[in-house]
């Protein structure tokens, strides 16, 4: 843990904490494993495996959705951006919250009413075309894997920070352990086990954030203005940290980059496959609505805490020390915890962060495995004729494969900025998934060709623009020797798209292509199917209900 | 995007039940019924304007933050500036919309959708 030791004041932490952190990690792992195993006994049917028997109540599922959504990027990443750049991190968190209104108002209830397990179910009910289900599955898998990679990339950096594992091989081992645990949760626990892991994780995450927030506020005399004053005073940028612009206001490119990110965040939430799939774990659309209201409150209060934590870290830890620590901004909250409560609080925060990665990774894995088994295997390869038991078996095997892919990806992607990768996953979700969901639910004329154009157009344009953006190549550091892109050789530069986030182009393009494909389709939409879709979406007729209703 | 255009003849009242009719014609009968027309009208008169409003409000915030950072730095009291208040209001509006939508949907949508669902499931369409 050379980075931390070099900062001096934390040298003692590198000696005492790893063992304590490890004990707290191990405790969380054991508790959640017990939960996964005890939930496993009830995993019989496909509905049990994919949707937890549709037996969760609105508030349980709302907390679990929060658990799925509040990734390490939210907890460590956003607080870190606030600690280093102030207000711009706050801007970021608001995008993550406001996007939920779209889920609540337009997506959650119709989706619950018209699908069984996946987003592709909804599009398929409307259009009844195997290629469309295949397209929806491809985009779901792409977004899930993107998001998964973001989480696994963060896991390596986090472990180096919190467990004192500094060697590259050691970090790889821990990433592999994360992967194995997650495969176990998903294979054994199914959706029921995964949901309980999410609930436990969201609860300790919220509790950890709340305790640390109150602790920070107590140092500032429970006065937010006083906290802001201290934070600004201790930053080299002084009062500039209290207003926008430090991170995104550098030049016109960064400004448009932020607008692009804002569009992706607010529209992307409603297209995230692991969030959408959770809506099927409740008995009916009404509980789905209640879930999302719970999620909005949990997520909102959590981001208010990250505001305090970020400015608290700016004040009590200081930007210089945060930047010097391994993981940079991501280390702000752990360092703050150490500053406030010593090794014990650092251990708890570390365990919370570890639990967060583990749970989000499990949620993504079950989503991707369900999508592959239900959409690709049963829907496309078997044309809907698959035996349900066989389908669940395929889902379990897929979970293992995805786990292995995630581990390998996590090892290769170590050290990439987590929050930022998540922003890209949101852009892909908003481009590839959202247009066809909204068109399927609300546009009478929407056709299969429109869906194909919109899904593939959104997917190819968003991923393609990322490949040709400074994210992948050509971004140079101030020094100019090593690049900050994925390809660190500054001489390889094939970036022609100036923005890091593609949303501002790819999202409108995907909506446009959905419209264009539809109006140029020689086969018009079937009005009977739209009538069925609309009646089912708004009344819940024919929706699979859970045990309680 | 044409959203929830009231279909022709939708205001002619509840359509006669069609015993023995196919499932899809049942859906079309429901879709033409007065209750369903009311649901769509309410959906269109509450949910769509609220969506437009919160998106406008959010992007207004983002555009001002990006292109008029000086405005966001104006002090309201002490170190608390316009930007922080504006940001806090985004939280307040999100919370308020979530609660008011839940309340509105329980009162204005759920009874109608229940009635239609029971009728359709009871084979009365």
């Amino acid at each position: 843990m050379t980075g931390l030791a070099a900062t001096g004041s934390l040298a003692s932490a590198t000696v005492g904490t790893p063992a304590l952190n490890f004990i707290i990690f191990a405790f969380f792992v054991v508790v959640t494993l017990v939960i996964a195993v005890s939930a496993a006994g009830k995993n019989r049917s496909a509905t049990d495996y994919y949707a937890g028997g549709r037996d969760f109540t609105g508030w349980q599922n709302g907390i679990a959705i929060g658990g799925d959504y509040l990734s390490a990027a939210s907890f460590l990443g956003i607080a870190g951006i606030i600690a280093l750049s102030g207000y711009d991190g706050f801007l970021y968190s608001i995008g993550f919250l406001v996007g939920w209104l779209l889920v609540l108002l337009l997506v959650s209830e119709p989706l619950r009413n018209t699908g069984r397990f996946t987003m592709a179910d909804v599009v398929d009910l409307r259009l009844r075309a195997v290629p469309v289900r295949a397209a929806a599955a491809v985009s779901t898998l792409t977004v899930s894997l993107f998001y998964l990679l973001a989480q696994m990339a963060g896991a390596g950096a986090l472990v180096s920070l919190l467990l004192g594992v500094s060697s590259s091989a050691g970090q790889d081992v821990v990433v592999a352990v994360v992967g194995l645990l997650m495969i176990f949760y998903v294979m054994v626990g199914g959706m029921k086990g995964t949901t309980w892991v999410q609930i436990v994780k969201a609860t300790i995450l919220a509790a950890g954030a709340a305790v640390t927030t109150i602790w920070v506020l107590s140092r500032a005399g429970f006065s937010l203005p006083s906290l802001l004053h201290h934070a600004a005073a201790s930053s080299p940028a002084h009062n500039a940290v209290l207003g926008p612009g430090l991170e995104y206001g550098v030049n016109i490119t960064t400004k448009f980059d932020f607008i692009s990110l804002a569009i992706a965040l607010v529209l992307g939430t409603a297209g995230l496959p692991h969030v959408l799939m959770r809506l099927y774990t409740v008995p009916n659309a009404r509980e789905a609505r209640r879930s999302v209201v719970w999620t909005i409150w949990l997520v909102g209060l959590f981001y208010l805490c990250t505001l305090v934590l970020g400015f608290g870290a700016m004040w009590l830890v200081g930007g210089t020390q945060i930047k010097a620590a391994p993981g940079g901004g991501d280390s702000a909250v752990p360092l703050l915890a150490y500053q406030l409560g010593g090794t014990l609080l650092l251990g708890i925060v570390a365990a919370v962060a570890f639990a967060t990665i583990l749970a989000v990774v499990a949620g993504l894995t079950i989503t991707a495995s369900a999508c592959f088994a239900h959409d690709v295997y049963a829907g496309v390869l078997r044309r809907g004729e698959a035996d349900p038991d066989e389908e669940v078996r395929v889902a379990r095997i897929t979970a293992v494969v995805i786990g292995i892919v995630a581990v390998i990806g996590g090892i290769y992607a170590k050290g990439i900025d987590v929050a930022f990768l998540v922003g890209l996953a949101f852009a892909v979700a908003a481009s590839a998934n959202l247009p066809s969901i909204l068109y399927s639910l609300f546009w009478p004329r929407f056709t299969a060709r429109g869906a194909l154009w919109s899904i593939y157009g959104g997917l190819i344009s968003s991923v393609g623009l990322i490949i040709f953006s400074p994210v992948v190549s050509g971004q140079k550091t101030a020094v100019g020797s090593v690049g900050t892109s994925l390809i660190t050789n500054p001489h390889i530069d094939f970036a022609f798209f100036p923005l890091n986030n593609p949303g501002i182009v790819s999202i409108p393009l995907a909506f446009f292509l959905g419209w264009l494909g539809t109006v140029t389709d020689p086969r018009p939409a079937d009005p009977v199917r739209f009538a069925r879709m609309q009646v089912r979406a708004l009344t819940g007729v024919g929706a699979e209900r859970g045990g309680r209703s | 995007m044409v959203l929830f255009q009231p279909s022709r003849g939708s205001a002619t009242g509840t359509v006669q039940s069609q015993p023995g009719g196919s499932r899809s014609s049942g859906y079309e009968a429901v879709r033409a019924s007065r209750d369903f027309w009311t649901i769509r009208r309410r959906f269109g008169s509450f949910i769509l304007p609220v969506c437009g409003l919160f998106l406008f409000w959010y992007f207004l915030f983002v555009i001002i933050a990006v292109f008029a950072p000086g405005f966001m730095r104006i002090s309201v009291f002490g170190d608390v500036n316009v930007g922080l208040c504006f940001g806090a209001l985004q939280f307040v509006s999100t919370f308020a919309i979530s609660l008011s939508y839940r309340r509105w949907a329980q009162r204005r949508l759920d009874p109608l959708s229940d009635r239609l669902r029971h009728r359709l499931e009871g084979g009365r369409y």
Side-chain angles (χ1 to χ4, degrees):
Chain A
M1 217 172 189
T2 49
L4 269 187
T7 62
S9 66
L10 270 172
S12 60
T14 61
V15 184
T17 8
L20 181 69
N21 289 358
F22 185 78
I23 292 167
I24 301 174
F25 282 12
F27 178 73
F28 172 78
V29 167
V30 169
V31 168
T32 47
L33 285 180
V34 168
I35 291 168
V37 171
S38 66
K42 298 153 210 154
N43 267 327
R44 290 188 199 93
S45 65
T47 305
D48 287 332
Y49 182 79
Y50 293 138
R54 307 196 198 283
D55 251 356
F56 287 96
T57 62
W59 70 266
Q60 286 170 337
N61 189 43
I63 291 170
I65 297 176
D68 243 338
Y69 190 71
L70 296 172
S71 60
S74 311
F75 185 46
L76 303 178
I78 291 189
I81 300 172
I82 295 174
L84 293 177
S85 309
Y87 189 86
D88 281 1
F90 184 49
L91 266 178
Y92 209 142
S93 69
I94 291 171
F96 277 121
L97 173 68
V98 171
W100 279 100
L101 287 176
L102 207 59
V103 182
L104 177 70
L105 295 169
L106 286 183
V107 175
S108 64
E109 294 164 64
L111 190 91
R112 175 63 189 83
N113 276 336
T114 55
R116 290 180 66 217
F117 303 123
T118 63
M119 166 214 141
D121 283 341
V122 176
V123 184
D124 189 59
L125 177 76
R126 173 78 164 77
L127 302 168
R128 281 279 176 257
V130 172
V132 175
R133 187 183 274 277
V138 167
S139 80
T140 297
L141 287 171
T142 309
V143 175
S144 304
L145 288 175
F146 230 95
Y147 213 110
L148 200 55
L149 198 65
Q151 299 302 317
M152 295 303 276
L158 189 69
V159 162
S160 75
L161 175 70
L162 306 170
L163 272 188
V165 181
S166 56
S167 76
S168 184
Q171 289 179 26
D172 294 350
V173 169
V174 182
V175 168
V177 170
V178 170
L180 283 177
L181 279 171
M182 150 204 97
I183 292 170
F184 185 82
Y185 289 146
V186 172
M187 269 192 74
V188 175
M191 187 50 119
K192 201 165 265 181
T194 312
T195 304
W196 280 111
V197 170
Q198 303 292 6
I199 292 173
V200 170
K201 169 240 157 151
T203 310
I204 64 169
L205 177 63
V211 167
T212 320
T213 299
I214 292 168
W215 207 321
V216 169
L217 283 175
S218 75
R219 286 288 191 90
F222 291 101
S223 154
L224 191 62
S226 150
L227 171 69
L228 296 172
H229 181 78
H230 287 305
S234 65
S235 163
H238 298 296
N239 268 3
V241 295
L242 301 178
L246 281 186
E247 170 111 7
Y248 303 112
V250 181
N251 54 43
I252 196 75
T253 310
T254 60
K255 287 180 177 181
F256 275 99
D257 209 5
F258 182 71
I259 292 174
S260 189
L261 176 69
I263 295 171
L265 293 183
V266 83
L267 301 179
T269 307
L272 289 179
H274 63 301
V275 164
L276 300 181
M277 192 176 171
R278 293 222 59 89
L279 296 170
Y280 296 117
T281 64
V282 290
N284 53 45
R286 223 152 284 174
E287 290 297 324
R289 178 199 302 151
R290 284 190 196 118
S291 310
V292 180
V293 173
W294 273 93
T295 307
I296 286 175
W297 281 81
L298 179 70
V299 168
L301 294 174
F302 180 82
Y303 285 136
L304 289 175
C305 288
T306 61
L307 180 71
V308 173
L309 294 178
F311 279 117
M314 184 188 283
W315 169 34
L316 296 166
V317 182
T320 326
Q321 199 184 340
I322 293 169
K323 274 185 200 153
D330 288 347
S331 66
V333 171
L335 291 173
L336 173 70
Y338 178 72
Q339 192 77 30
L340 290 171
T343 53
L344 183 66
L345 192 62
L346 175 59
I348 292 170
V349 164
V352 166
F354 185 71
T356 289
I357 288 188
L358 210 54
V360 174
V361 164
L364 288 162
T365 303
I366 197 163
T367 305
S369 74
C371 170
F372 184 81
H374 182 67
D375 295 329
V376 179
Y377 172 75
V380 177
L381 299 178
R382 289 294 167 97
R383 308 272 153 167
E385 304 292 318
D387 172 44
D389 291 342
E390 181 66 18
E391 196 183 308
V392 172
R393 210 171 66 82
V394 171
R396 290 201 159 104
I397 295 168
T398 316
V400 176
V401 174
I402 291 166
I404 292 167
V405 170
V407 168
I408 294 169
I411 288 170
Y412 275 98
K414 258 184 319 204
I416 300 173
D417 178 2
V418 184
F420 155 80
L421 262 181
V422 167
L424 296 183
F426 273 70
V428 179
S431 312
N433 291 348
L434 187 68
S436 55
I437 293 174
L438 291 183
Y439 283 146
S440 292
L441 290 171
F442 301 118
W443 192 26
R445 289 177 62 191
F446 192 47
T447 67
R449 184 154 96 162
L452 289 174
W453 286 25
S454 157
I455 293 172
Y456 286 125
L459 192 63
I460 292 167
S461 65
S462 56
V463 175
L465 288 175
I466 291 170
I467 291 173
F468 293 107
S469 78
V471 174
V472 173
S473 75
Q475 195 159 278
K476 294 170 186 67
T477 52
V479 189
S481 52
V482 180
T484 47
S485 308
L486 288 182
I487 298 170
T488 47
N489 182 348
H491 301 296
I492 300 173
D493 183 358
F494 48 83
F496 66 83
F497 185 67
L499 306 179
N500 286 332
N501 195 298
I504 198 168
V505 175
S506 61
I507 298 168
L509 182 70
F511 274 103
F512 171 74
L513 288 174
W515 171 82
L516 189 69
T518 297
V519 296
T520 58
D521 196 337
R523 286 159 303 176
D526 181 351
V528 175
R529 268 195 208 129
F530 182 69
R532 181 182 57 191
M533 183 86 182
Q534 202 180 34
V535 170
R536 288 183 59 163
L538 292 179
T539 64
V541 175
E544 272 186 38
R545 269 165 258 163
R548 272 167 229 215
S549 65
Chain B
M1 193 158 144
V2 184
L3 286 155
F4 296 97
Q5 255 180 357
S7 60
R8 282 171 296 282
S10 56
T12 53
T14 310
V15 173
Q16 294 297 309
S17 61
Q18 298 173 334
S22 75
R23 204 87 177 115
S24 55
S25 71
Y27 283 123
E28 283 187 296
V30 172
R31 191 159 179 266
S33 71
R34 179 177 283 281
D35 275 352
F36 195 73
W37 183 77
T38 312
I39 289 183
R40 291 197 299 166
R41 193 173 45 91
R42 287 183 182 168
F43 191 98
S45 64
F46 181 92
I47 293 177
L48 296 182
V50 171
C51 276
L53 203 66
F54 90 77
L55 285 175
F56 171 78
W57 174 236
Y58 172 69
F59 283 109
L60 181 73
F61 172 66
V62 168
I63 299 280
I64 291 178
V66 170
F67 292 110
F71 173 74
M72 293 300 213
R73 291 176 196 283
I74 296 170
S75 167
V76 177
F77 53 93
D79 286 309
V80 178
N81 57 26
V82 172
L84 286 163
C85 295
F86 207 155
L89 284 176
Q90 293 283 333
F91 280 79
V92 171
S93 62
T94 304
F95 290 146
I97 290 172
S98 74
L99 289 187
S100 60
Y101 168 68
R102 191 180 63 178
R103 204 177 130 86
W104 175 85
Q106 273 168 359
R107 290 195 358 227
R108 307 285 285 173
L109 284 187
D110 292 352
L112 286 173
S113 66
D114 280 346
R115 198 155 73 202
L116 280 172
R117 195 178 71 242
H118 290 143
R119 274 193 224 151
L120 194 63
E121 285 171 349
R124 288 210 271 140
Y125 274 117

